[in-house]
Amino acid sequence: FQKAYYWLINDNLKSSVRRISDRNFSRLCTKLAHKKSAYCFLTGPSISQYRSFSIQPDAIKVICNSLVKNKTFLSFIGGPDIITFADPVFHFGASEYAIMFREHLMEVVTTFKPFVVVPEFTAPLLLAWFPELEPYLIGLQTAESHDFNLPSPNNPRVRATDNIMTMFVLPLAAALADHIFVAGADGREKQETYFWKFNPDSQFTKEMESIYAYHPSFFRDRNYGDYYEVHCRLVEDLIQHIEKNDKSVTSETPSFIPALSKRFKKPSS
């Protein structure tokens, strides 16, 4: 549906939304240019440890997906600077889950006024639903490529991947800061049968049944083991790309993802 809407609108509207995105992305980069550190918050169970994180007061804070639900966490960090999401089922669909997500998204935008980063082809649909997003919305171009890119106003593009951390969260953080800290990217144990586990305070658990009902093939036709294997490889490749740009990535929480496990900052004894 999100791509169908983009294909059906006229070129003038597409150009208008791109101008809005370019303007807002330039504003974001200017606003956050002086910051040296960025925290990437994901939805794994370990995000519940957030009170123990040593979050620097002037750090960039990037959140994703259903973390918009966790108001206690968001208040603790002083609100996000960036919210990003991209899933056609969980975020842009017609299920009760997707509707609940968008309601919480707009509550967070109203309260904290973060920038909202999504794939470019979804931006017109979001503006049609929520015109009040115009000052905050950034639709980044997503390219089917083997090369990673840290987006900039002159090149507002990222590599298209099937996971929000590798497509938007890490590339945005690394584009804006030199020291990137990751929390809540727990990964998956071998015996698990779903993508991975989620922090219950950061997931719309009661609405999950509606996702299964509206999109049965999304789950039925997926090999979670293969998905996770590709994801782990992409995380390693992306972090290596970030580090080659003289930036550092540290995991604040334990992770089963090898690239993050070996970059885990163990607590001082």
Side-chain angles (χ1 to χ4, degrees), residues 227-251:
Y227 174 91
Y228 183 65
E229 183 178 337
V230 171
H231 175 58
C232 288
R233 186 168 64 249
L234 285 173
V235 174
E236 179 64 59
D237 292 348
L238 173 55
I239 292 179
Q240 287 186 14
H241 176 79
I242 291 169
E243 291 172 341
K244 287 177 181 176
N245 282 269
D246 297 322
K247 298 167 185 283
S248 66
V249 177
T250 303
S251 183

Short mmCIF file of all heavy atoms in Angstrom, two decimals, residues 227-251:
data_model
loop_
_atom_site.label_atom_id
_atom_site.label_comp_id
_atom_site.label_asym_id
_atom_site.label_seq_id
_atom_site.Cartn_x
_atom_site.Cartn_y
_atom_site.Cartn_z
N TYR A 227 17.00 -15.05 7.95
CA TYR A 227 16.91 -13.59 8.13
C TYR A 227 17.96 -13.13 9.13
O TYR A 227 18.68 -12.15 8.89
CB TYR A 227 15.52 -13.21 8.62
CG TYR A 227 15.37 -11.74 8.97
CD1 TYR A 227 14.97 -10.81 8.03
CD2 TYR A 227 15.65 -11.29 10.26
CE1 TYR A 227 14.84 -9.47 8.35
CE2 TYR A 227 15.55 -9.95 10.60
CZ TYR A 227 15.14 -9.05 9.65
OH TYR A 227 15.04 -7.72 9.96
N TYR A 228 18.08 -13.85 10.24
CA TYR A 228 19.01 -13.45 11.29
C TYR A 228 20.46 -13.58 10.83
O TYR A 228 21.30 -12.72 11.14
CB TYR A 228 18.77 -14.29 12.55
CG TYR A 228 19.62 -13.89 13.72
CD1 TYR A 228 19.48 -12.64 14.32
CD2 TYR A 228 20.57 -14.77 14.24
CE1 TYR A 228 20.25 -12.27 15.40
CE2 TYR A 228 21.35 -14.40 15.33
CZ TYR A 228 21.19 -13.16 15.90
OH TYR A 228 21.96 -12.79 16.97
N GLU A 229 20.75 -14.61 10.09
CA GLU A 229 22.11 -14.81 9.58
C GLU A 229 22.52 -13.64 8.68
O GLU A 229 23.64 -13.11 8.80
CB GLU A 229 22.20 -16.12 8.81
CG GLU A 229 23.59 -16.46 8.29
CD GLU A 229 23.64 -17.79 7.58
OE1 GLU A 229 22.77 -18.66 7.84
OE2 GLU A 229 24.55 -17.98 6.75
N VAL A 230 21.63 -13.23 7.79
CA VAL A 230 21.92 -12.09 6.91
C VAL A 230 22.06 -10.82 7.74
O VAL A 230 22.96 -10.00 7.50
CB VAL A 230 20.81 -11.93 5.85
CG1 VAL A 230 20.99 -10.63 5.07
CG2 VAL A 230 20.81 -13.12 4.89
N HIS A 231 21.19 -10.65 8.73
CA HIS A 231 21.23 -9.46 9.57
C HIS A 231 22.57 -9.34 10.28
O HIS A 231 23.19 -8.26 10.30
CB HIS A 231 20.09 -9.51 10.58
CG HIS A 231 20.10 -8.38 11.57
ND1 HIS A 231 20.05 -7.05 11.19
CD2 HIS A 231 20.18 -8.39 12.93
CE1 HIS A 231 20.08 -6.29 12.27
NE2 HIS A 231 20.17 -7.08 13.33
N CYS A 232 23.04 -10.43 10.88
CA CYS A 232 24.32 -10.40 11.60
C CYS A 232 25.47 -10.03 10.67
O CYS A 232 26.37 -9.26 11.05
CB CYS A 232 24.59 -11.76 12.25
SG CYS A 232 23.55 -12.12 13.69
N ARG A 233 25.44 -10.55 9.46
CA ARG A 233 26.49 -10.23 8.50
C ARG A 233 26.45 -8.75 8.11
O ARG A 233 27.49 -8.09 8.00
CB ARG A 233 26.35 -11.11 7.26
CG ARG A 233 27.49 -10.95 6.26
CD ARG A 233 27.49 -12.03 5.20
NE ARG A 233 26.30 -11.98 4.36
CZ ARG A 233 25.33 -12.91 4.39
NH1 ARG A 233 25.40 -13.94 5.21
NH2 ARG A 233 24.29 -12.81 3.58
N LEU A 234 25.24 -8.22 7.93
CA LEU A 234 25.10 -6.81 7.57
C LEU A 234 25.55 -5.90 8.70
O LEU A 234 26.16 -4.85 8.45
CB LEU A 234 23.65 -6.50 7.19
CG LEU A 234 23.19 -7.01 5.82
CD1 LEU A 234 21.70 -6.78 5.66
CD2 LEU A 234 23.95 -6.31 4.70
N VAL A 235 25.25 -6.27 9.94
CA VAL A 235 25.69 -5.46 11.08
C VAL A 235 27.21 -5.37 11.10
O VAL A 235 27.79 -4.29 11.29
CB VAL A 235 25.15 -6.02 12.41
CG1 VAL A 235 25.73 -5.25 13.59
CG2 VAL A 235 23.63 -5.95 12.45
N GLU A 236 27.87 -6.51 10.92
CA GLU A 236 29.35 -6.50 10.90
C GLU A 236 29.88 -5.65 9.76
O GLU A 236 30.79 -4.81 9.96
CB GLU A 236 29.87 -7.93 10.78
CG GLU A 236 31.39 -8.03 10.72
CD GLU A 236 32.07 -7.55 11.98
OE1 GLU A 236 31.80 -8.11 13.07
OE2 GLU A 236 32.87 -6.59 11.89
N ASP A 237 29.34 -5.82 8.58
CA ASP A 237 29.82 -5.05 7.42
C ASP A 237 29.60 -3.56 7.62
O ASP A 237 30.47 -2.74 7.28
CB ASP A 237 29.13 -5.53 6.15
CG ASP A 237 29.52 -6.94 5.73
OD1 ASP A 237 30.51 -7.47 6.29
OD2 ASP A 237 28.84 -7.51 4.87
N LEU A 238 28.44 -3.20 8.16
CA LEU A 238 28.13 -1.78 8.35
C LEU A 238 29.05 -1.17 9.41
O LEU A 238 29.57 -0.06 9.23
CB LEU A 238 26.67 -1.62 8.77
CG LEU A 238 26.23 -0.20 9.18
CD1 LEU A 238 26.53 0.81 8.08
CD2 LEU A 238 24.75 -0.20 9.54
N ILE A 239 29.26 -1.88 10.52
CA ILE A 239 30.13 -1.33 11.56
C ILE A 239 31.56 -1.18 11.05
O ILE A 239 32.24 -0.19 11.35
CB ILE A 239 30.06 -2.19 12.83
CG1 ILE A 239 28.67 -2.07 13.47
CG2 ILE A 239 31.13 -1.77 13.83
CD1 ILE A 239 28.48 -2.92 14.72
N GLN A 240 32.01 -2.14 10.27
CA GLN A 240 33.34 -2.00 9.68
C GLN A 240 33.42 -0.75 8.79
O GLN A 240 34.42 -0.02 8.79
CB GLN A 240 33.70 -3.25 8.88
CG GLN A 240 34.03 -4.46 9.74
CD GLN A 240 34.53 -5.64 8.92
OE1 GLN A 240 34.87 -5.50 7.75
NE2 GLN A 240 34.56 -6.82 9.52
N HIS A 241 32.36 -0.50 8.03
CA HIS A 241 32.31 0.70 7.20
C HIS A 241 32.37 1.96 8.06
O HIS A 241 33.09 2.92 7.74
CB HIS A 241 31.03 0.69 6.36
CG HIS A 241 30.83 1.93 5.54
ND1 HIS A 241 31.48 2.16 4.35
CD2 HIS A 241 30.04 3.02 5.76
CE1 HIS A 241 31.11 3.32 3.85
NE2 HIS A 241 30.24 3.87 4.69
N ILE A 242 31.63 1.96 9.16
CA ILE A 242 31.62 3.10 10.08
C ILE A 242 33.02 3.31 10.67
O ILE A 242 33.52 4.44 10.73
CB ILE A 242 30.58 2.88 11.19
CG1 ILE A 242 29.16 2.97 10.59
CG2 ILE A 242 30.75 3.91 12.31
CD1 ILE A 242 28.07 2.51 11.55
N GLU A 243 33.65 2.23 11.09
CA GLU A 243 34.97 2.34 11.70
C GLU A 243 36.03 2.80 10.70
O GLU A 243 36.98 3.49 11.08
CB GLU A 243 35.35 1.01 12.33
CG GLU A 243 34.49 0.67 13.56
CD GLU A 243 34.70 -0.73 14.09
OE1 GLU A 243 35.22 -1.59 13.34
OE2 GLU A 243 34.32 -0.98 15.25
N LYS A 244 35.86 2.45 9.44
CA LYS A 244 36.80 2.93 8.41
C LYS A 244 36.68 4.44 8.21
O LYS A 244 37.58 5.06 7.64
CB LYS A 244 36.55 2.20 7.10
CG LYS A 244 37.03 0.75 7.10
CD LYS A 244 36.70 0.05 5.80
CE LYS A 244 37.15 -1.41 5.84
NZ LYS A 244 36.76 -2.15 4.60
N ASN A 245 35.56 5.01 8.68
CA ASN A 245 35.37 6.46 8.64
C ASN A 245 35.82 7.12 9.94
O ASN A 245 35.38 8.23 10.26
CB ASN A 245 33.90 6.79 8.35
CG ASN A 245 33.53 6.61 6.89
OD1 ASN A 245 33.63 7.55 6.10
ND2 ASN A 245 33.12 5.41 6.52
N ASP A 246 36.69 6.42 10.68
CA ASP A 246 37.30 6.95 11.91
C ASP A 246 36.27 7.24 13.00
O ASP A 246 36.38 8.22 13.75
CB ASP A 246 38.12 8.22 11.62
CG ASP A 246 39.29 7.93 10.69
OD1 ASP A 246 39.91 6.86 10.83
OD2 ASP A 246 39.57 8.78 9.82
N LYS A 247 35.27 6.36 13.08
CA LYS A 247 34.26 6.46 14.11
C LYS A 247 34.23 5.16 14.91
O LYS A 247 34.71 4.13 14.43
CB LYS A 247 32.88 6.74 13.49
CG LYS A 247 32.83 8.08 12.74
CD LYS A 247 31.59 8.19 11.88
CE LYS A 247 31.61 9.46 11.03
NZ LYS A 247 31.27 10.67 11.80
N SER A 248 33.70 5.22 16.13
CA SER A 248 33.67 4.03 16.98
C SER A 248 32.24 3.61 17.27
O SER A 248 31.33 4.44 17.33
CB SER A 248 34.40 4.31 18.30
OG SER A 248 33.70 5.28 19.07
N VAL A 249 32.06 2.29 17.44
CA VAL A 249 30.75 1.73 17.80
C VAL A 249 30.95 0.86 19.03
O VAL A 249 31.80 -0.03 19.04
CB VAL A 249 30.16 0.90 16.66
CG1 VAL A 249 28.83 0.27 17.09
CG2 VAL A 249 29.96 1.76 15.41
N THR A 250 30.15 1.12 20.07
CA THR A 250 30.21 0.37 21.32
C THR A 250 28.82 -0.10 21.69
O THR A 250 27.85 0.67 21.57
CB THR A 250 30.76 1.24 22.46
OG1 THR A 250 32.05 1.73 22.10
CG2 THR A 250 30.86 0.46 23.77
N SER A 251 28.68 -1.35 22.13
CA SER A 251 27.40 -1.85 22.60
C SER A 251 27.30 -1.65 24.11
O SER A 251 28.18 -2.09 24.87
CB SER A 251 27.23 -3.33 22.26
OG SER A 251 25.94 -3.78 22.67
#
